[in-house]
Amino acid sequence: MPQPSIMQGPARKNSKLKRWLKLLFRSKTGTVGLVIVISIVIIAIFAPWLAPHEPNVIDPVNTHKPPVWMEGGDRENLLGTDNLGRDILSRIIYGSQISLLVGISSVVLAGIIGILVGLFTGYFGGFLDTFFMRLADSFLAIPNILLALVMLGVFGPGLFTLILVLGVTNWVQYARIIRGEVLSIKERDFVRAAKSIGVKHRNIIFSHLYPNVISSFIVVATLSVASTIILESSLSFLGLGIQPPQVSWGTILSDGRDYLATSWWLATFPGLAITITVLGIIFLGDWLRDILDPRSVK
Amino acid sequence: MEHALLTVNRLKTYFYTEAGVVPAVDDVSFSIQKGEIVAIVGESGSGKSVTSLSVMGLIEEPGKIVGGEILFAGKDLVGMSMKKMRELRGNQLAMIFQEPLTSLNPVFSIGNQLAESIRLHQKKNKREARKIGIEMLKKVGIARPDKVYDQHPHALSGGMRQRVMIAMALSCNPQLLIADEPTTALDVTIQAQILRLMKDLIEESGTSILFITHDLGVVAEMADQVIVMYGGQVVEQADVYTLFKEPKHPYTKGLIDSTPKIDEWKEELVSIPGTVPGPFEFPEGCKFADRCPFVMDKCKAERPTVTKVGKGHEVRCWLHGEKVVDLNERASFT
Amino acid sequence: MSEHPLLEVRGLQKSFDVTKGFFKKEKQYLRAVNDVSFTVQNGEVLGVVGESGCGKSTLGNLIVHLHEPTAGKIVFEGIDMSALSREQLRRQRADIQMIFQDPFSSLNPRKRVFDIIAEPLRTHRDLNKEELQQEVLDLMDLVGLNRSFLNRYPHEFSGGQRQRIGIARAIALRPKLIICDEPVSALDVSIQSQILNLLKKLQKDLQLTYIFIAHGLPAVKHVSDRIAVMYLGKIVEWTTKEELFTNPMHPYTEGLLSAIPIPDPTKRKEQRPLLEGDIPNPVNPPPGCKFHPRCPYKTEICMQVEPEFTDKRAGHFVACHHPLGAEKQAEKKL
């Protein structure tokens, strides 16, 4: 066997992992992001064991109980209770399941549609391009929330329709970004080189273009996980999103909105949960973009 | 000796990057007399552009001038206030760049930009500035200058744009013009025109030029004095005739030999082996040691000092320790 | 087989629609390549030289089929390429490869050296893992790349090494024709001759045929057997290298030659004639001979009638009403 040492698999994988970790620990925000995201995922998975109460049990006696450190609060409900006496901490813990599921899977769905459309329209141009870009324009002309309302009205509310609706309404932004990137990258010489070698279009798209556009997608996608969680809460507020007894951060938030003046903790804690999660995902996204770029570490 | 217009003395400009400190200009000294054309030759990473930017006071974060002085007409430019530096630039110091399109603002007309610098430094009103501006365009060989005056940069060819840049640079009669690869982006026939134009213009005005280039052909056409840089250091400097006739640094010799000559027919071109090292890859001792055909043990261990080998001829190389070696007699690069 | 030249280009044209503005009725076309014909024999190197806008790069792109010709034929090994089906064309691509100018944009930054060099082999040949690796390593030896670089990414290399990677990719399939599109113009001087030597060596050892595109004569001088000079989309002169350098017949070729800076200060060409004027906008080329606005020898006829591209001396084709050789000889007699 000639030169066996150069290509050995395990060594290659090992060094890749090393590189990732090196990059992770070099970036403090990346570490923080990873810790946050992993914690929230664990919380979501183990919600039934972690939550001190059932999320939907009503306790008419203990409504509007403030958090533990305020006067009138106690250890029974660490973050207080809502207008129906439900334990807010438990609701947030259970809510993380739905919120993460909706936020991430709808972005992934929108991303898949957007990346595919962007790659193909940008690369081939022509009629395909004109068609999809006009379609994208019309999507942009209709407010997202209105579109979502119509679709939910037609399909009926529910978790999976919600994911589908949020995914379908959001692909446009990804498609546009990816298409723009593709338009500039396909003029680069390495793409011309691949064409002149006779590489099939499919391979040019997926092995040359895709790795070079994915980092811009990640940046936008991490940011829009946030807006998706918020959009979900608006839809839930309108009664078209998550239906009780399911809980999401958005529903807790919108339930608490009416009591902002008197019981601020109702809306604040789910809001805080959204903020922390979103920050964690953004930090993690930054690091992901770094590890996907071979230029980032020598 | 006459007072030099510009004296750069032991200049050090370092870049503090995330990956470490890059000594882009490392102990560089030279001077420019009035009316003289001095060329700095070097390849990428030689520090030739950073040297010129240091003189112009255009070094930006993470770069910093960490040592030495730049004496221009008796004043030290290092540590001069931003305001004073700005007054100097465009008035006594002017610069033209490699890519004229990026140095011109695309949304303003040529005249607008030309007049701006004239009005700023010469305190003329708009009509006078226009007159001077058109006069300048005519001087740099632009046909129908009054029409071009009102055109926008994108409407001009690369050669025309560089002419406009030269007109702008010379509009305030600077004492020193720094030209950073002014013809590299141009076609050969246009390059020849621009070079001739620059020579004619400065003969008239007595402006000195610091000419940055990688092309020894251009150096031979233009320069009075030549500074050869490698890895942030001056490896050799001499007047142009001496340098081409008797190069004393192996790198200079390699550069001269590997420059294609139109009247020479060879089976194989002369080349310098290896590649120009990255900023952190230079060897310990002499920076050229790992590409040098004459390398000795001393070169690997110790960074060479400057040796004077003739009148105004200095070289940073250990070869010429006890006696000066004639590189032309040594078989060197193949 | 041997009856056909390897490549025959007949009446090749490529126009680009450069109409600006959505509502303009009158379309504007840029004739990048305008009625070009030539042949390339097996094992020969044809240098194509011209300044910006002359269409040399478009010509290269047409031959590798990155552009569709507007008119004319490209006949490769006796087969008209426009008659091929898409799949046949894709297979055909293995025989015609390209080396690009910019070594920084020609390599995918997200791929390792191994994958870059292996791509053509994976596309056209069915090799198992060991065979593929062996092929790639052999190619790396051939172009002078260290085998330990196999798993590195392009950004870890200098321009010269990147160009070697690009060359390895181009020769991987042992193509019959390689288009070298200004392969050294983005490189440092000391590296250029390395790459030129390598290209020449590979051409000899592997019996390759090149079309070597460059913007200046010095770059093509070393490798070419024959040289075609292009101006505004047309070939104006086509002959052997020796003939072109010693007896240029087109005034433009003469101008190109005299514009080259000579790396010898004792031969400064203060008095040599230079071509005047700018390269015209190719969208609105001048009538008659396209070179006439810049030509020092132009007469009435040049402004009206486009000269034909004809064989003026054995194998020396020129498109000029007043080719230089004749006049020169007349002068000598006087």
Side-chain angles (χ1 to χ4, degrees):
Chain A
M1 271 295 298
Q3 298 290 320
S5 60
I6 292 175
M7 277 287 285
Q8 264 173 7
R12 233 177 115 177
K13 286 231 172 71
N14 201 356
S15 73
K16 205 172 198 176
L17 191 71
K18 244 191 202 159
R19 210 186 118 237
W20 286 19
L21 289 177
K22 199 171 153 193
L23 268 166
L24 177 61
F25 294 121
R26 208 174 66 176
S27 129
K28 285 194 190 76
T29 50
T31 320
V32 173
L34 188 73
V35 169
I36 292 175
V37 171
I38 289 182
S39 324
I40 290 171
V41 169
I42 289 174
I43 288 173
I45 295 171
F46 296 104
W49 291 276
L50 287 171
H53 299 276
E54 281 295 307
N56 292 308
V57 172
I58 296 170
D59 181 356
V61 185
N62 285 318
T63 60
H64 296 283
K65 196 204 276 184
V68 60
W69 60 88
M70 281 178 62
E71 231 187 282
D74 58 37
R75 284 181 180 202
E76 194 53 37
N77 306 99
L78 287 176
L79 297 181
T81 60
D82 67 1
N83 55 326
L84 299 174
R86 294 175 292 196
D87 180 45
I88 293 190
L89 179 63
S90 305
R91 284 176 72 73
I92 289 176
I93 290 174
Y94 272 95
S96 64
Q97 293 181 325
I98 303 281
S99 288
L100 277 192
L101 188 70
V102 171
I104 292 172
S105 46
S106 66
V107 166
V108 168
L109 180 66
I112 291 172
I113 303 174
I115 288 173
L116 286 177
V117 169
L119 281 172
F120 279 86
T121 56
Y123 181 70
F124 288 110
F127 171 74
L128 188 78
D129 186 31
T130 318
F131 173 76
F132 272 101
M133 285 305 115
R134 290 299 85 77
L135 187 69
D137 287 346
S138 30
F139 265 87
L140 282 183
I142 308 167
N144 261 0
I145 190 106
L146 182 68
L147 194 67
L149 276 177
V150 172
M151 288 177 72
L152 282 165
V154 174
F155 297 116
L159 181 59
F160 288 99
T161 358
L162 188 69
I163 291 171
L164 195 73
V165 163
L166 291 175
V168 168
T169 49
N170 279 327
W171 66 270
V172 173
Q173 51 169 329
Y174 304 120
R176 292 190 153 253
I177 290 161
I178 300 293
R179 176 178 171 271
E181 291 270 301
V182 169
L183 284 182
S184 83
I185 291 169
K186 79 168 180 180
E187 296 303 322
R188 303 257 297 271
D189 282 344
F190 67 81
V191 177
R192 291 170 61 213
K195 280 189 198 166
S196 71
I197 285 167
V199 179
K200 290 186 171 136
H201 292 312
R202 181 168 28 103
N203 290 347
I204 292 181
I205 289 174
F206 290 109
S207 93
H208 285 285
L209 297 176
Y210 173 76
N212 282 290
V213 297
I214 190 68
S215 56
S216 4
F217 165 73
I218 286 174
V219 176
V220 186
T222 49
L223 287 170
S224 71
V225 168
S227 59
T228 313
I229 290 179
I230 291 160
L231 188 62
E232 176 263 317
S233 77
S234 326
L235 290 170
S236 301
F237 177 69
L238 293 168
L240 291 162
I242 300 302
Q243 302 298 309
Q246 285 181 317
V247 207
S248 75
W249 291 340
T251 53
I252 313 174
L253 189 71
S254 50
D255 284 350
R257 244 185 281 196
D258 296 340
Y259 306 98
L260 260 183
T262 49
S263 321
W264 55 267
W265 53 91
L266 265 62
T268 306
F269 292 116
L272 217 57
I274 294 175
T275 311
I276 292 172
T277 310
V278 166
L279 276 179
I281 293 175
I282 289 173
F283 288 162
L284 192 67
D286 255 7
W287 168 68
L288 268 176
R289 192 191 49 197
D290 277 354
I291 60 168
L292 288 172
D293 188 344
R295 278 164 296 198
S296 51
V297 152
K298 289 248 160 110
Chain B
M1 203 173 132
E2 207 186 324
H3 218 60
L5 176 68
L6 177 83
T7 306
V8 173
N9 206 355
R10 316 212 64 165
L11 178 71
K12 289 183 179 175
T13 306
Y14 289 4
F15 284 79
Y16 295 88
T17 67
E18 229 175 87
V21 181
V22 180
V25 173
D26 195 8
D27 195 7
V28 164
S29 305
F30 63 92
S31 62
I32 302 176
Q33 306 297 328
K34 198 170 165 12
E36 196 176 49
I37 303 181
V38 175
I40 302 184
V41 211
E43 298 176 286
S44 54
S46 64
K48 57 186 192 300
S49 285
V50 179
T51 304
S52 68
L53 292 173
S54 302
V55 174
M56 283 299 280
L58 293 174
I59 294 294
E60 277 171 20
E61 286 287 316
K64 206 174 169 238
I65 297 179
V66 293
E69 49 185 13
I70 302 169
L71 296 171
F72 178 70
K75 284 167 284 181
D76 191 356
L77 303 186
V78 177
M80 188 179 263
S81 74
M82 293 280 269
K83 191 166 166 258
K84 277 194 168 167
M85 203 62 220
R86 257 204 310 275
E87 275 167 26
L88 214 58
R89 280 202 297 264
N91 234 344
Q92 287 157 290
L93 265 177
M95 188 157 183
I96 52 179
F97 297 90
Q98 174 175 351
E99 188 30 82
L101 190 56
T102 52
S103 333
L104 289 166
N105 189 332
V107 299
F108 293 115
S109 71
I110 297 295
N112 202 318
Q113 303 183 51
L114 193 54
E116 189 190 357
S117 74
I118 294 170
R119 288 173 69 189
L120 206 63
H121 296 286
Q122 292 188 5
K123 316 262 180 293
K124 302 280 184 195
N125 68 30
K126 210 173 166 182
R127 189 173 300 161
E128 286 170 325
R130 183 181 173 98
K131 222 182 120 197
I132 298 173
I134 292 179
E135 198 56 41
M136 284 307 300
L137 290 179
K138 206 163 159 189
K139 227 175 174 176
V140 294
I142 287 178
R144 287 181 297 164
D146 44 336
K147 193 175 164 235
V148 169
Y149 191 86
D150 294 317
Q151 277 178 325
H152 283 74
H154 65 87
L156 305 180
S157 68
M160 294 267 270
R161 283 188 209 119
Q162 200 56 286
R163 283 176 197 268
V164 170
M165 287 308 295
I166 292 172
M168 281 172 75
L170 294 182
S171 62
C172 300
N173 297 315
Q175 289 177 277
L176 177 65
L177 173 68
I178 297 178
D180 190 353
E181 306 250 10
T183 58
T184 306
L186 304 176
D187 284 314
V188 234
T189 59
I190 310 298
Q191 159 170 295
Q193 294 171 1
I194 298 286
L195 291 180
R196 180 168 290 181
L197 172 75
M198 286 177 74
K199 248 192 149 167
D200 292 349
L201 285 176
I202 68 135
E203 224 153 76
E204 220 173 278
S205 63
T207 305
S208 305
I209 297 185
L210 180 60
F211 200 105
I212 317 290
T213 180
H214 66 275
D215 186 341
L216 275 174
V218 173
V219 172
E221 298 279 344
M222 293 291 285
D224 300 311
Q225 291 286 324
V226 189
I227 296 161
V228 183
M229 285 187 75
Y230 187 81
Q233 295 190 312
V234 174
V235 293
E236 183 162 8
Q237 54 180 315
D239 71 86
V240 68
Y241 297 100
T242 311
L243 189 98
F244 278 88
K245 199 170 152 221
E246 302 167 42
K248 290 291 183 239
H249 197 285
Y251 177 63
T252 315
K253 172 102 171 98
L255 271 188
I256 294 174
D257 289 351
S258 59
T259 302
K261 287 150 206 83
I262 211 70
D263 48 359
E264 216 174 67
W265 302 89
K266 272 195 204 147
E267 218 8 68
E268 194 162 354
L269 298 170
V270 176
S271 68
I272 303 176
T275 61
V276 183
F280 304 107
E281 294 159 359
F282 284 103
E284 272 297 284
C286 173
K287 296 195 175 188
F288 189 59
D290 55 354
R291 302 178 71 190
C292 183
F294 308 120
V295 64
M296 309 176 291
D297 288 340
K298 193 180 186 185
C299 307
K300 289 176 187 162
E302 234 179 297
R303 194 147 284 182
T305 51
V306 176
T307 316
K308 205 167 156 82
V309 291
K311 191 172 174 287
H313 191 172
E314 290 177 349
V315 59
R316 195 185 278 270
C317 177
W318 288 129
L319 272 180
H320 312 285
E322 282 130 42
K323 67 180 180 63
V324 177
V325 178
D326 187 355
L327 290 187
N328 288 332
E329 285 177 3
R330 290 221 190 170
S332 53
F333 299 95
T334 47
Chain C
M1 278 297 287
S2 57
E3 327 158 8
H4 305 294
L6 181 71
L7 178 79
E8 193 180 352
V9 170
R10 260 185 270 149
L12 197 63
Q13 278 192 32
K14 177 68 189 175
S15 304
F16 293 103
D17 188 348
V18 290
T19 316
K20 274 184 199 148
F22 196 65
F23 297 106
K24 273 204 183 147
K25 273 199 183 141
E26 214 173 295
K27 291 233 168 189
Q28 277 191 309
Y29 290 100
L30 187 157
R31 289 197 164 181
V33 172
N34 189 1
D35 195 12
V36 163
S37 305
F38 61 89
T39 56
V40 180
Q41 302 296 335
N42 217 333
E44 176 183 62
V45 178
L46 173 70
V48 177
V49 174
E51 296 179 286
S52 49
C54 75
K56 57 187 189 298
S57 287
T58 310
L59 180 66
N61 286 337
L62 285 168
I63 296 169
V64 285
H65 229 92
L66 286 172
H67 291 325
E68 289 286 332
T70 312
K73 270 183 187 166
I74 299 170
V75 183
F76 187 74
E77 292 191 305
I79 300 162
D80 184 353
M81 285 184 34
S82 62
L84 295 179
S85 74
R86 249 180 57 182
E87 186 55 27
Q88 280 171 320
L89 187 70
R90 205 181 67 77
R91 293 229 185 83
Q92 167 93 82
R93 286 180 185 281
D95 287 336
I96 307 177
Q97 288 291 298
M98 192 154 185
I99 297 169
F100 295 87
Q101 173 181 8
D102 179 3
F104 288 86
S105 109
S106 65
L107 308 179
N108 188 338
R110 309 267 166 160
K111 284 186 180 277
R112 291 165 195 273
V113 172
F114 173 79
D115 293 311
I116 291 170
I117 300 176
E119 182 158 50
L121 298 166
R122 282 184 175 138
T123 308
H124 290 281
R125 283 171 58 188
D126 200 18
L127 300 174
N128 67 32
K129 224 174 160 183
E130 280 80 40
E131 290 169 334
L132 190 66
Q133 188 187 333
Q134 193 51 49
E135 279 282 321
V136 171
L137 289 173
D138 287 348
L139 284 164
M140 289 174 77
D141 291 345
L142 212 53
V143 299
L145 280 171
N146 193 319
R147 285 178 166 216
S148 65
F149 294 161
L150 196 64
N151 284 317
R152 297 216 187 156
Y153 286 100
H155 72 269
E156 298 171 55
F157 296 98
S158 65
Q161 286 169 315
R162 284 163 154 260
Q163 203 55 297
R164 286 176 197 267
I165 299 172
I167 292 171
R169 172 177 62 189
I171 61 171
L173 296 166
R174 301 294 139 88
K176 291 171 182 146
L177 176 65
I178 298 183
I179 315 286
C180 308
D181 189 2
E182 306 212 34
V184 298
S185 61
L187 303 178
D188 276 320
V189 192
S190 73
I191 308 301
Q192 287 189 2
S193 25
Q194 284 181 13
I195 299 297
L196 287 173
N197 283 336
L198 172 68
L199 285 170
K200 187 159 186 177
K201 185 175 175 296
L202 291 172
Q203 191 257 333
K204 274 193 177 159
D205 294 353
L206 308 176
Q207 280 134 31
L208 298 168
T209 308
Y210 291 159
I211 292 181
F212 196 101
I213 298 168
H215 61 262
L217 284 164
V220 294
K221 178 176 160 254
H222 183 59
V223 284
S224 306
D225 299 311
R226 243 175 263 276
I227 293 176
V229 179
M230 287 186 77
Y231 190 77
L232 284 181
K234 289 195 171 263
I235 294 182
V236 294
E237 185 160 5
W238 183 87
T239 182
T240 62
K241 166 170 75 175
E242 289 77 10
E243 174 78 5
L244 190 92
F245 277 90
T246 47
N247 292 314
M249 289 177 93
H250 199 284
Y252 178 60
T253 313
E254 185 194 51
L256 271 184
L257 279 167
S258 81
I260 299 164
I262 297 174
D264 182 351
T266 60
K267 292 183 192 160
R268 285 193 181 181
K269 48 181 140 193
E270 321 261 356
Q271 303 317 320
R272 259 204 269 171
L274 291 183
L275 279 185
E276 282 174 16
D278 236 328
I279 302 158
N281 183 348
V283 179
N284 293 310
C289 172
K290 292 195 167 26
F291 185 63
H292 86 254
R294 302 178 74 189
C295 184
Y297 311 106
K298 63 167 177 282
T299 59
E300 213 40 50
I301 185 173
C302 306
M303 296 177 216
Q304 286 144 14
V305 184
E306 186 154 8
E308 262 179 66
F309 187 60
T310 52
D311 196 349
K312 291 273 163 34
R313 205 183 284 163
H316 193 153
F317 286 74
V318 189
C320 180
H321 292 299
H322 312 291
L324 290 170
E327 280 160 28
K328 255 191 200 159
Q329 256 141 25
E331 268 172 38
K332 267 180 201 158
K333 274 176 195 164
L334 281 172

